[in-house]
Amino acid sequence: MQNPDNTPVIVAVGEFTDRPKDTAQALEPVALMAEALAGANKDGGGDLLSRIDTIEVVGLVSWRYTNPVSQLCRTIGINPIRQRNASMGGETPIRLVHDAALAISRGEQQVVAIVGGEAMNAVSKARKQKIDLPWTPLASREEAVRFANDRIEVSPISKLIGVRDPSQMYPLYEMAAQKTWQQTPAEGNNDSAQLWADYAAIAADNPFAWLRHAPSAQDIASVTADNRYISWPYPKLMVANPAVNQSAAIIVSSLTVAREAGVPQDKLIYIHGGAAAAEPDDYLYRDRYDRSSAQTGVLKKAVELAGGDANNFSKIELYSCFPVVPKMALKVLNLKSASVKPTVAGGLTFFGGPLNNYMSHATCAMVKALRKGPGELGLLYGQGGFVTKHHSLVLSTDAATSPLAQDYSVQVEANHAMSPIPDINPNYTGPAIIETYTVQYGRGGEAEQGVVIVRSPDNQRSLARVGVEDIESMSVLLNKSQSAVGIMGQLSIDAESRPNWKADTNI
């Protein structure tokens, strides 16, 4: 039997969604976090806030503060020994839960709160309505807190061509994976739409979700003025929705403290373990785009903790900023999307994508779901950056049969599974075959340029654009019945020093 003093459990969760009729009445992020923590305290029986010795604030984007964690503590009237503004990244919340569990298992901490909140919807509306929000004065960029991992590293060639944003990067994985899975773009789009409809149906039943109208797969797949392309092949209803006002809090404690605080046994969720690994930060320096060895490593470790079979997970949350991430995860887990529910929260499009904090909400939803299914196993899988950082966590109402592993990194295994990384040559000209690709779209729904990652005959990798005036090459990229991966063309450098790819005329 494990020592209750060193047995970590999730004891309480809280969420808050703010939908004011008057934008000026919207709560700022710190106030949203305070509401979530108050909800968690109530969920745990009302005797937890004063016991918190460590508080972690997930990196936030929608408002600049000098020290949000300190302001949050003052707002709710607590003064924990350890107060930290944590980091950016979609995997951050479950990593913080995992780290809290480890610290408790080592006897270093007793009660840890993980909390995050964003108010991008209110900020955007206020900007459009040209009103000043009565919030904490916006800190200057120089004075504002810097969260770790607040930048996505990209190469100079990527900046030159204009590939900077995750919405422009994730499709590169989508198109490469479709080719490996022997799908046409049309077939891949249908799979994405059906998967997203499954997420939407779960969001419709979640009272904290931002969008609860549950569009059909046909609605999600159909490109319209209201569902314009963001980056090929994804329309708006296939990408994360950051325009939300949402917050969530998770409280982790030792089993001893949970009992002292009077938290009922049937509310306790045990942390069985998990894993973490990462890809190289710069996407051009990765081995391939049809899979991620880091994702594979963390999910396989989770399956190992579940007895070797992913079917032992009765509840699953697969990070869902764009369809390719859970589609790849389902392949690793050897699960069919038609036979499992890939979310308990509703996904970043429909539940809402509060930037780095979605997995806090997913954890809250998982805790609630497991409380209704005693003895069941739950899998949380979060991802940050651009298919960069990966973390899995296994939870249950039942205690684990072995102590929590202190080292959760599977980076060595992930690195070992990587293929050789090709040399990057941004100045290459000559014959070049498409490795993967996308098309960037403007706000009016018009194509702005194609983007291709290509290989030379001697296997050098380069990044290039395709001009919209090159109708023949653009038609290759936008062909729904045939993938452009593997199509040969020619790479040249234009007057602005940008590599340009043109399809061979004899394709």
Side-chain angles (χ1 to χ4, degrees):
M1 179 179 292
Q2 297 183 39
N3 182 349
D5 291 345
N6 304 105
T7 300
V9 286
I10 297 175
V11 293
V13 294
E15 296 179 86
F16 191 76
T17 298
D18 189 29
R19 295 179 176 274
K21 293 182 179 179
D22 181 358
T23 301
Q25 299 301 312
L27 297 180
E28 64 179 283
V30 163
L32 289 172
M33 291 184 226
E35 291 286 348
L37 267 175
N41 188 50
K42 181 178 180 181
D43 178 60
D47 188 27
L48 291 170
L49 291 186
S50 63
R51 298 173 182 266
I52 294 172
D53 57 49
T54 303
I55 185 166
E56 305 264 12
V57 166
V58 176
L60 65 110
V61 175
S62 54
W63 201 249
R64 293 198 302 268
Y65 294 95
T66 57
N67 190 352
V69 70
S70 176
Q71 184 168 330
L72 174 61
C73 289
R74 292 195 302 271
T75 299
I76 60 178
I78 63 174
N79 188 28
I81 297 171
R82 288 168 290 272
Q83 304 176 20
R84 190 165 74 110
N85 297 302
S87 62
M88 302 285 194
E91 89 297 348
T92 297
I94 56 173
R95 174 175 56 79
L96 295 178
V97 171
H98 202 165
D99 286 343
L102 289 173
I104 289 167
S105 73
R106 295 190 297 264
E108 298 169 357
Q109 298 171 17
Q110 287 296 298
V111 183
V112 182
I114 295 100
V115 60
E118 296 283 4
M120 191 65 80
N121 179 269
V123 171
S124 299
K125 284 184 176 179
R127 188 179 297 121
K128 291 178 181 177
Q129 297 169 13
K130 298 182 179 179
I131 65 173
D132 292 327
L133 293 166
W135 294 359
T136 300
L138 191 67
S140 69
R141 296 187 184 278
E142 295 73 24
E143 295 176 332
V145 63
R146 282 290 302 272
F147 292 97
N149 303 319
D150 62 349
R151 296 286 187 273
I152 293 178
E153 181 180 338
V154 294
S155 302
I157 184 63
S158 190
K159 295 177 183 178
L160 177 64
I161 289 177
V163 184
R164 299 168 176 258
D165 186 86
S167 68
Q168 302 164 340
M169 299 175 183
Y170 281 90
L172 300 171
Y173 272 81
E174 176 72 44
M175 302 316 298
Q178 285 181 11
K179 179 67 173 181
T180 296
W181 300 337
Q182 299 182 327
Q183 289 184 319
T184 65
E187 291 167 339
N189 185 64
N190 288 338
D191 278 359
S192 294
Q194 185 56 62
L195 181 65
W196 247 227
D198 294 340
Y199 277 86
I202 298 298
D205 288 331
N206 188 331
F208 296 100
W210 197 255
L211 301 178
R212 302 185 64 190
H213 61 290
S216 66
Q218 182 177 354
D219 292 335
I220 294 167
S222 299
V223 178
T224 65
D226 292 330
N227 191 33
R228 60 181 175 84
Y229 277 123
I230 302 299
S231 290
W232 174 271
Y234 294 144
K236 190 175 180 180
L237 284 177
M238 288 186 191
V239 304
N241 171 24
V244 299
N245 307 322
Q246 294 173 319
S247 60
I250 305 146
I251 300 178
V252 186
S253 82
S254 69
L255 183 55
T256 295
V257 171
R259 290 169 175 169
E260 290 174 353
V263 181
Q265 179 65 35
D266 61 4
K267 282 200 166 186
L268 302 181
I269 302 297
Y270 292 84
I271 299 162
H272 287 212
E279 297 286 336
D281 285 344
D282 188 331
Y283 68 94
L284 287 179
Y285 289 85
R286 298 184 187 171
D287 62 333
R288 54 197 298 167
Y289 301 103
D290 59 348
R291 65 164 174 79
S292 161
S293 59
Q295 181 195 60
T296 299
V298 304
L299 289 173
K300 284 188 173 180
K301 182 61 179 180
V303 171
E304 179 185 318
L305 291 168
D309 186 351
N311 288 292
N312 290 334
F313 293 117
S314 60
K315 303 291 188 296
I316 296 176
E317 181 69 48
L318 301 179
Y319 196 80
S320 50
C321 50
F322 298 86
V324 70
V325 179
K327 287 202 290 188
M328 291 194 307
L330 287 166
K331 294 283 186 182
V332 174
L333 294 169
N334 196 28
L335 297 174
K336 303 293 185 183
S337 58
S339 61
V340 300
K341 293 180 179 179
T343 180
V344 288
L348 280 86
T349 299
F350 307 105
F351 174 87
L355 302 162
N356 304 289
N357 200 47
Y358 173 77
M359 288 307 295
S360 292
H361 292 276
T363 302
C364 292
M366 181 64 75
V367 166
K368 296 169 190 174
L370 291 175
R371 286 171 176 172
K372 296 177 181 178
E376 295 181 347
L377 279 177
L379 168 64
L380 292 170
Y381 161 67
Q383 182 255 191
F386 154 57
V387 197
T388 308
K389 299 173 291 181
H390 304 261
H391 207 117
S392 63
L393 199 63
V394 177
L395 306 177
S396 179
T397 56
D398 286 349
T401 56
S402 57
L404 197 61
Q406 291 297 306
D407 182 6
Y408 56 61
S409 174
V410 292
Q411 193 63 54
V412 172
E413 294 88 338
N415 291 346
H416 182 72
M418 287 177 61
S419 305
I421 298 172
D423 292 333
I424 311 301
N425 184 356
N427 300 313
Y428 172 77
T429 59
I433 191 169
I434 292 180
E435 182 177 4
T436 189
Y437 65 103
T438 184
V439 175
Q440 298 173 358
Y441 284 79
R443 289 187 173 276
E446 72 287 353
E448 294 186 326
Q449 69 172 1
V451 174
V452 294
I453 294 177
V454 296
R455 297 284 188 103
S456 68
D458 62 353
N459 208 36
Q460 295 181 82
R461 176 183 284 163
S462 190
L463 179 71
R465 66 184 295 275
V466 177
V468 292
E469 71 282 355
D470 184 352
I471 296 173
E472 184 177 35
S473 298
M474 286 295 291
S475 68
V476 169
L477 302 186
L478 296 174
N479 188 341
K480 294 183 179 180
S481 62
Q482 179 181 345
S483 171
V485 173
I487 297 293
M488 179 63 78
Q490 295 290 320
L491 209 59
S492 61
I493 306 295
D494 66 17
E496 298 178 49
S497 301
R498 300 174 303 182
N500 278 256
W501 184 86
K502 183 176 179 60
D504 281 348
T505 56
N506 61 351
I507 61 172

